[in-house]
Amino acid sequence: EYQSAVTMIMVAGVLDGLDGRIARLLHGESRFGAELDSLSDAISFGVAPALIMYLWSLAALPRLGWISALILAVFCALRLARFNAKIDETDQPHKSAGFLTGVPAPAGAGLAMLPMYFWFWTDQPVFASPYLVAPWVAFIAVLMVSSVATFSWSSLTLRRSIRFEPITGVVLLGAALVSAPWHTLIASFRGDLVPIPLSIANKSRVKLRRATDESPREPRSEPNTRARPVTSQRPEAHPARKGGT
């Protein structure tokens, strides 16, 4: 029941995007809720995808297979631990600029299972090869704990005049997920992976601009407009000597 298992992880991703907003609307934010949310994310986007990928493909590699699955689960937990360690910090320049550090846990889980989507779509055994799946899973796990700058889609704000277009996009996305779920998931998660070089370049540009703005500027030298005292160029008169020569 691999398709049902992947579907449940996608449902967990949708719920993960809603729980924080619901807590803020109800004014029910708490540190305990943040820790519980991270624990749920570690199970839903770390342990569960690792078990699915291991039972589906990685079990064919006795040593490297379980290592790749373990790396995915552990690195997902490490990413969430890093997030919790910085949750009380008010000064987070990368977050205020619209960037995240590394690939988020839900997107990482979806990207790790990308070969499985291709296998569902094409039914080609090459996508289930452990020699392809193992390095791919390890690569996505490293992206999750890396310091690579990625775009934060939740920081996007739409103008109040734009109302019809987002609703149309959500309806079209839902229709695509119902009619062609694996094609839509492939396109969606490729949209998370492809812009990474662009986000790195934009983060470097923003960092350089902030460093330029925060650098101390030298005070300008003002011209000296004070009137200088006029000194006579004539030689001073020496007093007359007493007596003659």
Side-chain angles (χ1 to χ4, degrees):
E1 298 291 339
Y2 291 117
Q3 295 187 6
S4 300
V6 173
T7 303
M8 291 298 103
I9 292 179
M10 296 301 107
V11 172
V14 174
L15 296 177
D16 179 68
L18 295 176
D19 58 358
R21 292 176 174 83
I22 294 175
R24 285 188 291 271
L25 288 175
L26 299 177
H27 302 286
E29 306 98 325
S30 64
R31 189 58 185 266
F32 176 77
E35 299 291 344
L36 185 61
D37 179 71
S38 296
L39 178 61
S40 302
D41 290 349
I43 296 174
S44 301
F45 310 123
V47 177
L51 287 175
I52 292 173
M53 299 304 290
Y54 179 78
L55 296 175
W56 173 63
S57 172
L58 298 176
L61 290 177
R63 297 180 180 179
L64 297 179
W66 71 268
I67 291 177
S68 298
L70 182 64
I71 287 175
L72 179 62
V74 172
F75 281 15
C76 180
L78 289 177
R79 172 184 172 75
L80 296 168
R82 181 178 63 182
F83 175 80
N84 286 349
K86 295 182 178 181
I87 196 171
D88 294 328
E89 295 183 7
T90 57
D91 186 17
Q92 298 188 29
H94 62 284
K95 191 174 182 179
S96 61
F99 297 98
L100 296 175
T101 303
V103 175
L111 287 171
M113 296 185 296
L114 194 61
M116 184 176 287
Y117 308 152
F118 280 102
W119 183 68
F120 291 154
W121 177 18
T122 62
D123 202 16
Q124 295 293 327
V126 64
F127 294 110
S129 173
Y131 299 100
L132 172 67
V133 175
W136 174 257
V137 170
F139 170 69
I140 298 301
V142 171
L143 284 181
M144 294 173 71
V145 296
S146 67
S147 58
V148 174
T150 56
F151 287 119
S152 176
W153 304 113
S154 60
S155 63
L156 295 177
T157 56
L158 299 176
R159 292 178 297 178
R160 293 184 177 180
S161 59
I162 302 177
R163 297 179 180 179
F164 179 74
E165 290 81 357
I167 298 176
T168 305
V170 171
V171 172
L172 291 177
L173 180 61
L177 286 172
V178 172
S179 59
W182 312 122
H183 306 69
T184 307
L185 288 177
I186 290 171
S188 300
F189 286 111
R190 284 179 61 184
D192 289 333
L193 191 63
V194 171
I196 288 180
L198 182 60
S199 64
I200 295 174
N202 288 349
K203 175 66 180 301
S204 301
R205 194 178 302 113
V206 171
K207 187 177 181 180
L208 180 61
R209 188 185 306 118
R210 287 188 172 183
T212 304
D213 295 339
E214 294 176 359
S215 60
R217 298 179 180 178
E218 297 181 358
R220 297 180 180 178
S221 58
E222 298 180 356
N224 190 1
T225 58
R226 296 179 180 178
R228 297 180 179 179
V230 180
T231 57
S232 176
Q233 299 298 329
R234 297 178 181 179
E236 297 180 356
H238 296 282
R241 295 180 182 179
K242 293 181 180 181
T245 53

